[in-house]
Amino acid sequence: MEFGTKKGFFGRLQERITDAILLRPQVDESTLEELEEILITSDIGMDTSLHIVEKLREAVRTERIKDPGAVQTRIQEIVKELVDKGDRNKMSVDYPLVVLMIGVNGGGKTTSIAKMAALYKNEGKSVLLAAADTFRAAAADQLAIWAGRVGVDIIKHGEGADPSAVIYDSLQAAKARGTDVLICDTAGRLQNKKNLMNELEKMNKVIDREFPEAARETLLVLDATTGKNAVSQAQEFGAVADITGIVLTKMDGTAKGGIAITISDEFDLPIKFLGVGERIRDLTVFDPSAFAASIFEREDAEEDAGGDAPESLARQGEEPAEDGYGPDADGVYPDGAQI
């Protein structure tokens, strides 16, 4: 399904907000109360909803706003203020760069790593992957399949190996090869917060010791379709990791744009990338202005809410099966099937 057939990042929410504003001759307190109820019952968190309406209420009062169109504009400005973290929305421009990717299993972490590797490769950067999720069965093999499709190298050990040992070997390889970007997969387990914290702390100590000159990013990958669960994950991982940015996956046609606002506001975390489709190219750089504008746009909003993406290298679909069955760079499966 292509972008033009979808209702943007906000779906039914944008319709409800538009109706609440435009079906009234002028904006008054009852309009603001209705907007507040609409936001609270959406995927935007309660605290963030109240924050937005309070800012809007103050603007209506001080600027004497009565025109519904002016209210739409003001809502967009407020949303932009909440999600725009300035340079923090951007990845580090210093190289070499080490990126730790964290997040629960099933959230799109593996495919986001592949998409990011493709993005950097298309920018002319040399990329190396580190398969440091040694706990999930076949995690390293799945990442290796993606590395092969994208055309980048990978360092991996056997299942059950010490994740920090994988990081260590990957750092040595990256330094020896003069690699620009090292992207590290990690285990996505929240069942034991202490173990997760210890693992991440150990990995970071290895990076600090072995590659202190490298720039660093720690990105939390969240599935936008999980709503409040994604908010909980941001809180849990934020307690054990120094998160520098968020990758929101499955934003294509999910109408879950509110989660980006909530996470940006409640946790002061910058959104760095949006996963907006099934293809390798469909990881886009987050654009706060375009994202805020998409609240009242019905079509094509999500295509503009991200920056340029690399040319398509493969069709993503689901993560590769453990036996390696999956589409090649042309979207063709081993048995001849196509996506």
Side-chain angles (χ1 to χ4, degrees):
M1 188 179 294
E2 295 302 319
F3 291 122
T5 64
K6 301 170 184 173
K7 292 183 178 179
F9 289 133
F10 296 93
R12 177 60 179 154
L13 175 60
Q14 65 184 189
E15 296 176 3
R16 294 176 66 196
I17 293 175
T18 300
D19 290 346
I21 297 172
L22 297 184
L23 292 181
R24 296 172 182 268
Q26 66 177 24
V27 176
D28 53 23
E29 181 58 29
S30 65
T31 308
L32 298 175
E33 290 176 356
E34 183 175 355
L35 282 172
E36 185 175 286
E37 181 179 350
I38 290 170
L39 294 175
I40 289 175
T41 56
S42 72
D43 58 321
I44 300 176
M46 177 175 289
D47 290 344
T48 300
S49 296
L50 296 176
H51 191 185
I52 291 172
V53 174
E54 189 53 42
K55 280 178 169 286
L56 182 59
R57 182 177 282 112
E58 179 66 15
V60 168
R61 183 182 66 82
T62 59
E63 301 169 25
R64 301 182 182 276
I65 298 174
K66 297 293 183 182
D67 177 62
V71 171
Q72 283 190 329
T73 300
R74 197 69 186 91
I75 291 175
Q76 289 175 333
E77 292 171 350
I78 291 170
V79 169
K80 182 180 181 298
E81 289 172 8
L82 294 181
V83 300
D84 191 348
K85 306 298 182 181
D87 287 341
R88 293 172 60 211
N89 287 112
K90 303 173 184 177
M91 290 290 283
S92 173
V93 295
D94 296 324
Y95 300 97
L97 171 64
V98 176
V99 183
L100 274 183
M101 301 288 281
I102 62 177
V104 300
N105 297 332
K109 180 157 53 73
T110 303
T111 48
S112 292
I113 291 171
K115 291 175 180 180
M116 190 177 302
L119 190 153
Y120 276 114
K121 184 181 177 185
N122 273 268
E123 290 180 349
K125 305 299 181 186
S126 55
V127 181
L128 179 65
L129 304 186
D133 181 357
T134 60
F135 294 95
R136 183 167 63 91
D141 292 337
Q142 290 177 9
L143 190 62
I145 292 170
W146 283 114
R149 290 178 184 163
V150 176
V152 299
D153 291 335
I154 182 171
I155 303 296
K156 67 187 185 81
H157 289 188
E159 187 176 327
D162 182 356
S164 293
V166 180
I167 296 294
Y168 176 86
D169 286 350
S170 300
L171 292 170
Q172 302 311 313
K175 289 192 292 184
R177 302 175 190 183
T179 300
D180 295 315
V181 183
L182 172 63
I183 306 176
C184 308
D185 190 14
T186 63
R189 303 177 305 159
L190 273 177
Q191 294 90 335
N192 190 319
K193 190 187 298 184
K194 181 172 176 57
N195 283 352
L196 178 64
M197 180 170 60
N198 290 341
E199 288 167 12
L200 292 174
E201 183 180 8
K202 187 176 178 182
M203 289 181 190
N204 280 303
K205 283 183 177 179
V206 171
I207 299 171
D208 288 339
R209 184 185 70 236
E210 300 298 327
F211 211 178
E213 66 270 30
R216 301 275 284 279
E217 294 276 4
T218 300
L219 304 185
L220 174 61
V221 181
L222 296 174
D223 179 347
T225 66
T226 61
K228 292 178 180 177
N229 281 340
V231 176
S232 297
Q233 290 166 25
Q235 183 174 14
E236 293 290 331
F237 276 98
V240 300
D242 184 15
I243 300 169
T244 61
I246 300 293
V247 180
L248 274 181
T249 66
K250 306 180 187 178
M251 289 287 287
D252 48 316
T254 62
K256 291 294 182 181
I259 195 68
I261 304 172
T262 301
I263 290 171
S264 295
D265 179 45
E266 293 189 14
F267 301 101
D268 190 32
L269 289 172
I271 310 298
K272 301 224 178 192
F273 294 101
L274 300 179
V276 296
E278 296 181 343
R279 298 165 297 182
I280 280 285
R281 67 172 296 183
D282 292 333
L283 182 73
T284 63
V285 178
F286 183 69
D287 183 332
S289 297
F291 179 83
S294 72
I295 295 176
F296 299 111
E297 293 178 3
R298 299 295 173 131
E299 295 181 352
D300 300 321
E302 60 263 66
E303 185 170 22
D304 294 329
D308 294 335
E311 289 298 316
S312 179
L313 299 178
R315 295 285 294 177
Q316 177 198 315
E318 298 297 325
E319 290 190 356
E322 291 183 14
D323 61 3
Y325 178 82
D328 62 16
D330 297 317
V332 181
Y333 284 86
D335 59 7
Q338 289 184 286
I339 315 179

